[in-house]
Amino acid sequence: MQTPTADVAADRAAPFAFDNSYARLPERFYARVQPTRPPAPRLLLLNADLARELGADPALLASEQGARWLSGAELPPGAEPLAMAYAGHQFGHFVPQLGDGRAILLGEVIDRAGVRQDLQLKGAGRTPFSRMGDGLAALGPVLREFIVSEAMHAMGVPTTRALAAAATGAVVRRERPLPGAVLTRVAEGHVRVGTFQFFAAQGDHEAVRTLLDHVVARNFPHLAQAPNRARAALDEAVARQARLVAQWMALGFIHGVMNTDNMHVGGQTIDYGPCAFMDGFRADRVFSSIDHAGRYAWNQQPRAAHWNLSRLAGALARSIDPDEDRAIASAQEAIDAFPDLFAAAWREAFAPKLGLDAAAPEAEALIDGALRLLGGEETDFTLFFRRLCLAAEGDSAPVRALFRDPRPLDDWLGRWRAALEAGRVAPAEAARRMRAANPAVIPRNHRVEQAIAAAEAGDLAPAERLIAALRRPFDEPAPEHADLAAPPAPAEAVRVTYCGT
């Protein structure tokens, strides 16, 4: 991660080689907009490695000219800025028009791996979809998304990524005046379930088919020759979302606002708002300040994903089959596959945390038993699984120290060790698997909040330090980062997170 410290000589060379496929779609898919010019743009954080992956020169992006491009003060050559139209179910209630109210898609680039990536400015000002909002972002939510999305990427979770965070010099008014900022977000597309819903709700089936063609070409190119591409794309979306949510849950991650407009059809994590990682485990844990009924609690995320996918199926039904009865039956078949796909993905995500193969007959019972143990005392989720790596090597004292009454744990440890022996998994191999599945360092909520508070006061060092540690989350932290692996003291615990809008 590179933090700019001084300007470098920069000419007007284009930083990105844009090739903007979404801007070539019919104009009812978006509104062409211009970012709001910030009064005093200044680059705060630059993801130099990601810049190189995108074929950009980090030194150019770190210059004063780069700050202007990455804050919306100037458009980089080749950009075609637009705000995407979409609808969505928000906490179960359908809103027929939402759209990018504070995000502007600059365009698309082909990265060094040959993957088409969106470049989007988040917090770059009002668009026709802003409704009553100002279209701006405060520094806190920008830093949160930068930190958490890059941590998720490092932990192997499909996600949007953060290229840069830039200060705008503007004051953003929320509960209190806050420093403004813009996030440059990178994603394999920004099409959501709600994008399909937007056109389906209008009866614009031609647009649904056009959008489907775009998504298949962009996210599911292996389905280009499928006999029924709509059904094949729905099947793929169901499978990817099952895997994604299982990965979230295996890390103790709670998205917080799984509305259909926040669900990426290609299976990436998107829209980090009131998200959080659990410290003490409780299956019904909620952090979001707006999720009063627990709709998107940790243990409700599979149900929410399944429900969202059924909305996608409804939007695609006419494209699956023009005959209504056959369309409904086919779409229902795709949706009904979700529970089994999720159960398999759950085992694939959790079994390595115990050093087991997903097919091990005892795996599911041991996973369930471990979660009951954690829930009984609200034991730290991340610390339990990381210390279990030591228990695999014969030292149970660190994990036993997490429990007031370790006797139920001792019984579970006996059954777990028997399963490892039955599967002929040697202690060293079990520990290796476990350390590759159980992060030592996650973006703990209190550390993120501390980094945000320091940045608002003008000190980026805590954010930089946290980002550096999170780049290698499965390694034992260096001595200077060891405190970042520790759970919060009671006074530091974060119990509520906010959207930032």
Side-chain angles (χ1 to χ4, degrees):
M1 204 64 57
Q2 177 176 339
T3 301
T5 56
D7 190 28
V8 298
D11 58 20
R12 294 293 178 135
F16 306 107
F18 283 108
D19 179 25
N20 305 325
S21 65
Y22 207 86
R24 296 194 288 268
L25 295 178
E27 294 213 352
R28 64 189 185 278
F29 281 69
Y30 52 79
R32 295 191 183 273
V33 294
Q34 294 291 319
T36 297
R37 186 181 295 273
R42 178 171 58 90
L43 200 58
L44 301 174
L45 296 169
L46 176 66
N47 190 336
D49 289 342
L50 180 55
R52 294 185 191 96
E53 291 175 29
L54 297 171
D57 178 4
L60 178 58
L61 295 181
S63 69
E64 288 186 5
Q65 179 62 58
R68 288 191 286 271
W69 286 327
L70 296 170
S71 64
E74 292 183 20
L75 291 178
E80 298 180 78
L82 58 86
M84 298 171 65
Y86 50 84
H89 276 87
Q90 299 195 316
F91 289 89
H93 302 285
F94 185 63
V95 183
Q97 180 171 297
L98 293 167
D100 287 332
R102 60 169 179 157
I104 295 175
L105 178 64
L106 289 179
E108 304 156 30
V109 301
I110 310 300
D111 69 16
R112 293 193 183 279
V115 178
R116 182 178 292 271
Q117 301 281 5
D118 281 2
L119 267 65
Q120 184 191 72
L121 299 182
K122 189 171 181 181
R126 286 183 55 81
T127 78
F129 306 116
S130 296
R131 296 180 288 174
M132 301 297 292
D134 57 17
L136 303 176
L139 177 58
V142 164
L143 278 184
R144 176 182 292 276
E145 182 157 348
F146 195 115
I147 292 166
V148 178
S149 65
E150 284 303 299
M152 292 285 267
H153 172 74
M155 290 187 284
V157 180
T159 179
T160 61
R161 297 192 62 189
L163 175 62
T168 63
V171 174
V172 176
R173 302 197 176 278
R174 297 295 182 258
E175 293 81 5
R176 58 186 174 89
L178 295 166
V182 172
L183 176 77
T184 305
R185 182 161 73 180
V186 177
E188 294 178 16
H190 280 85
V191 175
R192 308 141 187 276
V193 170
T195 319
F196 281 96
Q197 289 181 288
F198 177 76
F199 296 110
Q202 299 174 42
D204 190 346
H205 303 295
E206 178 187 4
V208 171
R209 288 189 290 272
T210 299
L211 185 63
L212 176 66
D213 290 343
H214 174 83
V215 167
V216 168
R218 181 83 186 267
N219 302 110
F220 311 141
H222 61 291
L223 302 179
Q225 303 305 317
N228 187 330
R229 290 196 299 164
R231 170 59 195 272
L234 179 59
D235 287 337
E236 185 73 14
V238 169
R240 290 192 186 192
Q241 199 67 22
R243 289 194 297 271
L244 179 65
V245 174
Q247 287 178 285
W248 289 354
M249 297 179 74
L251 295 170
F253 177 75
I254 302 168
H255 184 278
V257 61
M258 289 178 66
N259 296 328
T260 59
D261 55 295
N262 294 332
M263 182 174 171
H264 189 283
V265 293
Q268 287 192 300
T269 312
I270 193 170
D271 291 335
Y272 292 89
C275 62
F277 286 81
M278 280 193 286
D279 296 309
F281 177 79
R282 201 179 72 208
D284 62 351
R285 181 78 71 188
V286 174
F287 286 92
S288 170
S289 65
I290 58 176
D291 191 4
H292 305 296
R295 180 182 178 91
Y296 301 136
W298 180 83
N299 62 356
Q300 293 301 311
Q301 292 179 122
R303 179 178 177 274
H306 195 188
W307 192 91
N308 289 349
L309 289 162
S310 71
R311 309 283 81 79
L312 177 62
L316 287 173
R318 284 282 295 272
S319 299
I320 291 173
D321 199 302
D323 180 86
E324 183 177 2
D325 290 339
R326 289 198 302 266
I328 291 172
S330 182
Q332 190 64 54
E333 182 181 51
I335 295 304
D336 287 346
F338 180 86
D340 287 343
L341 289 168
F342 177 76
W346 171 271
R347 290 191 297 273
E348 289 286 347
F350 269 90
K353 294 175 75 68
L354 304 182
L356 296 169
D357 292 324
E362 305 88 349
E364 192 163 346
L366 284 167
I367 294 164
D368 291 345
L371 295 178
R372 283 195 298 272
L373 281 172
L374 296 180
E377 295 192 16
E378 296 195 19
T379 304
D380 189 272
F381 184 88
T382 300
L383 211 53
F384 169 81
F385 284 106
R386 190 66 183 188
R387 290 189 181 183
L388 200 61
C389 303
L390 297 172
E393 297 171 326
D395 184 5
S396 299
V399 72
R400 291 183 85 250
L402 296 174
F403 293 84
R404 293 187 296 273
D405 179 3
R407 288 174 297 179
L409 170 68
D410 291 337
D411 176 69
W412 182 89
L413 288 172
R415 290 183 283 115
W416 169 60
R417 289 195 173 99
L420 291 174
E421 291 175 8
R424 298 183 179 179
V425 183
E429 173 60 16
R432 184 196 66 77
R433 291 183 188 178
M434 294 166 69
R435 288 195 173 96
N438 295 314
V441 183
I442 61 168
R444 289 186 179 271
N445 307 320
H446 70 297
R447 292 300 187 188
V448 175
E449 293 297 333
Q450 289 166 5
I452 289 171
E456 289 177 345
D459 180 9
L460 281 171
E464 294 165 349
R465 178 170 174 262
L466 181 57
I467 291 166
L470 291 168
R471 296 186 76 180
R472 302 183 66 87
F474 298 104
D475 294 349
E476 284 300 315
E480 65 269 22
H481 294 151
D483 59 306
L484 299 178
E492 296 176 317
V494 174
R495 295 177 173 83
V496 180
T497 54
Y498 299 89
C499 286
T501 55

